[in-house]
Amino acid sequence: MTIELHGKNALVTGASRGIGRAIALELAALGARTALVARSSSLLESLAKEINDKNSGDAIYKSLDIEKESFALELAKWLKAEGFHVDVLVNNAGIYSTDYISLEHADGWEVSDPGNDDLWKRTMAVNLNAPYILAKVFAPAMIERKWGRIINISSISGQKAEAYGTAYSASKFGLIGVTQSLALELARHGITVNSVCPGWVETDMAQEQINDPEWCRLNDINPEESLDIARLSVPQMRLIQPDEVAGLVGYLCSDRAKGITGQAINICGGLSIS
Ligand code: NAP
């Protein structure tokens, strides 16, 4: 099966590392011109160089913090100046933090409003608000061109919640809601909108969660065994590799996948059914 993205432009958020990096490499290899966004300028620069060396020069990059309210305007201005219209939007950037009910407030007088909680706000800003804002910014031009792909990287935790990750799970459930609603709205315009839901993927995010002493303590896991416990929780007894997720994203971008929209597609080694 040949998937070709020649002549298409793909914007990938969170492209500096992990899954986003693999997606950017995959889409570039399929022929897309790529725009790479994350905070780390040096990592983006070296990825753009790698893509440009392999594909003779088409990746552009910008360091942006998508948690900041002004990011979308800044991004849109930059892409306009670069003559880069977005055909494919991959909302991949994401953050995870362990969060739990603290017994410090057991007397009930220090009630914290989740809306004012820093961790909750940051998680929602990056994992949920930014993807929705970017879809609103870039879908109108996709409608005009009658073709588009929006791919939101959610999670297995967006379908089946995990303990001690309420903000993360809520943001990823919400992202599937955004996906379904936009898929319905954009279906008649040749635009598909899908969520990809990975299980454990071997990246910094997974390593940080597995190595987090707080997460291990809350889950009653010996930190020395936590990687094995995570691995063995997966029926395939392994962590997924970033390029496997990227392959699925590449397929969803292709015309072969034009009938797939509004879906939440798991790539988890069987974790969702275990
Ligand atoms: P990662 O290795 O931690 O990479 C996260 C990416 O997001 C980095 O490129 C990071 O770049 C970027 N990012 C984070 N905050 C940002 C911000 N405020 N502004 C701009 N960019 C930001 O994570 P990953 O494992 O590749 O995860 C990618 C996506 O897959 C996330 O949405 C995650 O929730 C989802 N996912 C991962 C797993 C897993 O097991 N790894 C499982 C399910 C779902 P900078 O630090 O340079 O800004």
Side-chain angles (χ1 to χ4, degrees):
M1 179 178 63
T2 324
I3 300 170
E4 290 245 342
L5 292 177
H6 288 284
K8 304 288 189 211
N9 291 339
L11 168 63
V12 183
T13 68
S16 60
R17 297 180 275 125
I19 296 171
R21 184 179 198 282
I23 291 171
L25 284 165
E26 174 79 13
L27 299 185
L30 293 172
R33 185 178 178 213
T34 51
L36 318 169
V37 167
R39 289 165 304 184
S40 166
S41 196
S42 57
L43 291 178
L44 291 175
E45 184 182 7
S46 69
L47 175 60
K49 185 174 180 319
E50 187 178 333
I51 290 174
N52 291 339
D53 287 349
K54 276 188 198 151
N55 302 313
S56 58
D58 253 350
I60 55 173
Y61 69 92
K62 187 168 184 66
S63 164
L64 270 181
D65 184 349
I66 66 168
E67 197 186 317
K68 300 220 165 93
E69 271 175 25
S70 58
F71 91 93
L73 192 59
E74 208 179 319
L75 178 56
K77 274 189 190 161
W78 169 63
L79 290 176
K80 195 170 176 195
E82 293 282 348
F84 189 106
H85 62 261
V86 177
D87 301 297
V88 174
L89 166 62
V90 185
N91 282 309
N92 162 79
I95 52 173
Y96 171 89
S97 295
T98 301
D99 89 77
Y100 59 98
I101 307 281
S102 167
L103 295 180
E104 272 174 39
H105 306 314
D107 63 10
W109 291 109
E110 294 268 344
V111 180
S112 74
D113 169 2
N116 285 324
D117 184 278
D118 193 46
L119 185 152
W120 179 272
K121 275 205 289 198
R122 292 191 57 227
T123 307
M124 291 301 158
V126 175
N127 294 5
L128 186 57
N129 299 0
Y132 176 53
I133 291 166
L134 290 180
K136 282 182 80 163
V137 169
F138 295 114
M142 292 181 192
I143 292 173
E144 279 181 358
R145 287 191 303 278
K146 300 183 175 54
W147 195 96
R149 297 286 184 265
I150 300 175
I151 296 164
N152 297 319
I153 308 300
S154 179
S155 170
I156 289 295
S157 304
Q159 299 179 46
K160 185 179 170 209
E162 56 178 301
Y164 317 118
T166 305
Y168 184 76
S169 282
S171 70
K172 295 298 187 179
F173 267 78
L175 192 53
I176 291 175
V178 167
T179 300
Q180 289 189 6
S181 187
L182 289 178
L184 291 170
E185 187 174 336
L186 299 173
R188 72 194 66 175
H189 300 290
I191 301 166
T192 67
V193 188
N194 289 291
S195 294
V196 166
C197 298
W200 287 111
V201 185
E202 198 168 336
T203 65
D204 293 349
M205 179 183 281
Q207 284 294 343
E208 279 160 22
Q209 185 177 350
I210 288 166
N211 293 335
D212 177 10
E214 195 75 327
W215 183 78
C216 291
R217 181 184 67 76
L218 290 161
N219 285 289
D220 210 10
I221 290 172
N222 176 347
E224 279 165 22
E225 294 168 3
S226 62
L227 178 58
D228 276 342
I229 288 171
R231 191 173 56 78
L232 295 174
S233 70
V234 182
Q236 286 187 346
M237 295 193 285
R238 68 183 185 95
L239 273 56
I240 300 289
Q241 294 303 305
D243 64 349
E244 296 177 74
V245 183
L248 174 56
V249 170
Y251 172 69
L252 288 172
C253 290
S254 73
D255 278 327
R256 289 284 184 105
K258 67 183 175 193
I260 303 174
T261 196
Q263 303 306 304
I265 302 166
N266 299 340
I267 175 159
C268 62
L271 184 63
S272 66
I273 52 163
S274 68

